[in-house]
Amino acid sequence: MTTAVQPTEPVLRPPAPGAARPAPGPAADEGLARRLKALACTAPLHDLDSRKVNLAGEYSSYAMAEVGLSAIDLVTLNMDFDTGADRDIVLARMLPRVAVQNPARTTTEHERVARWVLESLINVGSVDRGFRAVYGTFGSDGSYVRRDYDFKLIEEVPGPDGGVYLRTTDEAVNVLVGALDTDVTSAQIAAEVKLEVLINRGRLADAQLAAEQARYRTVQYAETLRRALDATRRNVRAVDWMQAVPDLIDEALGHIADRYRHENAILTNIRKARDEAEDPEHKRRAAELVDIVKDCIRRHTQLQTRLLEAGPLFRAEQDRQAFAAPSARSGIDLYGQLLAPLLELPVSQATRPTDAFFARGTGLRTPVSVRMTDLVDLLLTPPVEREHLGAELPDPDLVATPDDSRFSDEQLEAALELLDLPADAPRRLSGLLAEARLKDPDLPYLVALLAVHAASPPVGTAYRQGEERLLFAVDDGTRLDDPEFGGADLVVGSALLDAAGMAADRQEER
């Protein structure tokens, strides 16, 4: 018995009794999900060959998936603990691998292929620059559930010098080593043991592949620690420093100690195999293995340094984030603190504060670095003749904006006149509404709107802008008795502001 599946249905009904059911248990379901995720991570590489027909030109002779794997490999090996891989360096090292596939083509075309492959793996053009795959799992009741798997292969990250660098993700490293979601420590130990056995047996070609996989796992281990430290710098509470990170540091230090012993022993065996080999190909592979293992030792030394600095970094960040004083700066009122005082000054005196404000308010400007090619083009390009008055500007088509306001200017003047109360004679909102209703049936709505707005008057803004009178409304608990409005019967009045204090403050600002 089969059940028809619609593409838009997220969950299907369980099969009928007696029908064949999927493998029971969470272990079988997890294994299926891991294999499906492994396939999803390779999909962007296969998609490169299917999308190359969309490029303007003949690119069928290029194996884009191979170029994509080379790009992931180069980014992984060129990124450091603190900074990622430089885009220009990665592109420069991709060019020989692209050019060897089609030597008859031009260098410009090779550069375009390399840049297109790298930007495709970054997924330039998408919103979050990531990939998404849909896979299915089986629930405990046998139901089929579709899930989204979001991942990235190469991502752009900011560097400490302000530049943008490239980093490969865990999914990209898993694509390189042919695994997914593997425990880093166990995979590294297995790779080291496998490497040592292959070297002892003289299988240097297989040993080189195992050594490269061991180096990828070392990079992945360092990335796990780097992400934890970066998260600590942003928010120390977001990282589990009670158990998870200390366990990670202890395991990593023990792991590094074991790796040092294994790698030094492996390095001795490789050098022995290199010196005793008579086959030139054997010597070349042994020499390459020496370089790879030396790079592994260098990365382990760097990782050990970061591990020893992790504890002091956590304590320093905890002190900085816990005891940092909150910012006491207040916002700037451009009208009250800058524009209003400047309008009363002569131009000769007003230029000094405006120059100081705009010099600091526009922010920093990055100086442009001059290149020799740009300078030569600029000096050799003849000047373009321009009109004395510039190009003719088109006449704009102006359309009158319709006046869709509910209240007219006459109604606003009447409401403001009604609310122009003496400072020592406040009135109830109910009386103001009754008086407004005698003048105009719509006027009470405008009076009520202005009164409610005066319940929280902007005293500081009015003070800085030099206003001498301010309308206010206070709720004393009396209910409003009105045929059209409900709520509180506010006490509405006018307050006089300190004109002398405002004049003194302006004199001090000048």
Side-chain angles (χ1 to χ4, degrees):
M1 176 180 178
T2 59
T3 305
V5 180
Q6 299 295 333
T8 57
E9 286 187 359
V11 181
L12 300 181
R13 294 188 299 270
R21 299 178 63 88
D29 187 46
E30 182 181 355
L32 175 63
R34 291 164 73 92
R35 291 193 297 271
L36 292 174
K37 290 180 179 179
L39 290 175
C41 290
T42 60
L45 294 172
H46 301 299
D47 191 50
L48 293 174
D49 284 313
S50 62
R51 289 194 301 111
K52 65 183 179 182
V53 297
N54 299 329
L55 295 174
E58 178 59 36
Y59 295 93
S60 59
S61 58
Y62 293 100
M64 298 297 188
E66 296 180 9
V67 180
L69 278 175
S70 300
I72 296 175
D73 192 1
L74 289 171
V75 174
T76 304
L77 297 180
N78 283 279
M79 66 183 188
D80 207 349
F81 190 91
D82 297 319
T83 60
D86 187 86
R87 181 193 294 262
D88 295 335
I89 295 177
V90 173
L91 289 173
R93 296 184 179 180
M94 287 175 63
L95 282 180
R97 307 191 183 193
V98 177
V100 75
Q101 295 186 5
N102 202 336
R105 299 296 177 89
T106 62
T107 305
T108 304
E109 181 177 302
H110 297 158
E111 292 177 353
R112 185 186 179 191
V113 171
R115 191 176 302 276
W116 180 78
V117 170
L118 185 60
E119 291 180 351
S120 299
L121 295 179
I122 301 174
N123 205 4
V124 175
S126 60
V127 178
D128 57 350
R129 298 199 170 186
F131 301 95
R132 170 171 292 184
V134 180
Y135 68 98
T137 58
F138 295 100
S140 58
D141 57 349
S143 60
Y144 182 75
V145 183
R146 286 190 175 90
R147 304 183 185 277
D148 292 334
Y149 175 49
D150 296 318
F151 64 96
K152 295 181 180 180
L153 294 180
I154 300 177
E155 56 183 351
E156 295 175 318
V157 296
D161 57 351
V164 179
Y165 294 88
L166 303 178
R167 280 193 176 275
T168 52
T169 61
D170 288 341
E171 291 82 3
V173 176
N174 287 326
V175 168
L176 286 173
V177 299
L180 186 75
D181 293 341
T182 310
D183 179 68
V184 177
T185 307
S186 60
Q188 178 73 13
I189 294 174
E192 297 287 357
V193 174
K194 179 181 178 182
L195 177 61
E196 186 175 5
V197 171
L198 291 174
I199 291 174
N200 292 333
R201 294 182 179 180
R203 297 170 57 183
L204 295 184
D206 296 334
Q208 182 175 357
L209 178 61
E212 291 174 350
Q213 292 182 352
R215 180 167 56 177
Y216 294 143
R217 289 302 178 190
T218 302
V219 174
Q220 194 173 12
Y221 209 105
E223 281 294 290
T224 304
L225 177 65
R226 185 189 63 81
R227 284 195 297 268
L229 297 181
D230 288 345
T232 302
R233 293 186 182 96
R234 291 190 298 269
N235 184 7
V236 72
R237 296 181 179 87
V239 183
D240 182 11
W241 279 90
M242 293 295 293
Q243 184 175 0
V245 178
D247 292 346
L248 171 67
I249 293 175
D250 292 341
E251 293 174 3
L253 289 174
H255 158 82
I256 290 175
D258 294 337
R259 300 287 71 73
Y260 274 145
R261 290 191 293 270
H262 282 284
E263 286 165 356
N264 285 310
I266 291 171
L267 195 60
T268 302
N269 292 333
I270 298 174
R271 287 170 175 165
K272 182 179 179 182
R274 179 194 60 188
D275 297 338
E276 295 178 356
E278 298 179 358
D279 186 5
E281 181 67 17
H282 220 59
K283 284 184 174 292
R284 184 184 65 82
R285 291 193 177 276
E288 292 177 354
L289 273 173
V290 170
D291 294 337
I292 294 175
V293 175
K294 283 183 177 180
D295 186 54
C296 289
I297 295 175
R298 180 188 65 82
R299 292 180 182 273
H300 281 140
T301 304
Q302 187 182 41
L303 178 60
Q304 184 186 26
T305 304
R306 302 302 178 183
L307 288 170
L308 295 177
E309 295 175 353
L313 184 142
F314 162 68
R315 290 187 289 271
E317 288 297 324
Q318 188 181 38
D319 295 341
R320 182 183 67 84
Q321 298 178 23
F323 302 106
S327 177
R329 296 181 180 178
S330 59
I332 300 175
D333 184 4
L334 292 179
Y335 180 85
Q337 296 179 348
L338 182 65
L339 181 59
L342 285 177
L343 292 177
E344 300 178 2
L345 297 176
V347 177
S348 59
Q349 299 179 14
T351 55
R352 181 178 178 182
T354 53
D355 291 345
F357 172 77
F358 286 106
R360 292 166 175 80
T362 54
L364 301 176
R365 182 172 62 89
T366 304
V368 180
S369 59
V370 180
R371 298 185 303 175
M372 183 59 67
T373 55
D374 298 336
L375 185 59
V376 172
D377 292 341
L378 183 63
L379 293 176
L380 298 181
T381 302
V384 180
E385 296 183 2
R386 295 182 296 178
E387 296 290 338
H388 179 64
L389 298 177
E392 183 179 357
L393 297 178
D395 295 332
D397 296 332
L398 301 179
V399 179
T401 304
D403 187 7
D404 55 354
S405 59
R406 178 178 177 182
F407 304 104
S408 62
D409 295 338
E410 292 78 8
Q411 289 176 325
L412 179 60
E413 291 179 1
L416 293 178
E417 182 181 356
L418 190 62
L419 293 175
D420 189 12
L421 303 173
D424 56 349
R427 295 184 58 182
R428 288 282 182 184
L429 178 59
S430 56
L432 294 172
L433 294 176
E435 186 176 347
R437 195 173 288 112
L438 296 176
K439 297 182 179 181
D440 188 343
D442 292 334
L443 193 58
Y445 292 93
L446 182 55
V447 173
L449 181 62
L450 294 174
V452 172
H453 180 70
S456 179
V459 181
T461 303
Y463 183 83
R464 288 191 298 268
Q465 293 179 1
E467 298 181 9
E468 298 180 356
R469 185 183 296 269
L470 179 66
L471 184 69
F472 69 91
V474 180
D475 180 14
D476 61 350
T478 305
R479 295 193 59 180
L480 177 61
D481 185 10
D482 190 87
E484 294 182 275
F485 302 96
D489 193 1
L490 302 175
V491 178
V492 184
S494 295
L496 298 178
L497 299 180
D498 186 7
M502 287 187 286
D505 291 344
R506 290 185 182 180
Q507 189 66 28
E508 291 178 0
E509 290 176 359
R510 293 177 187 175

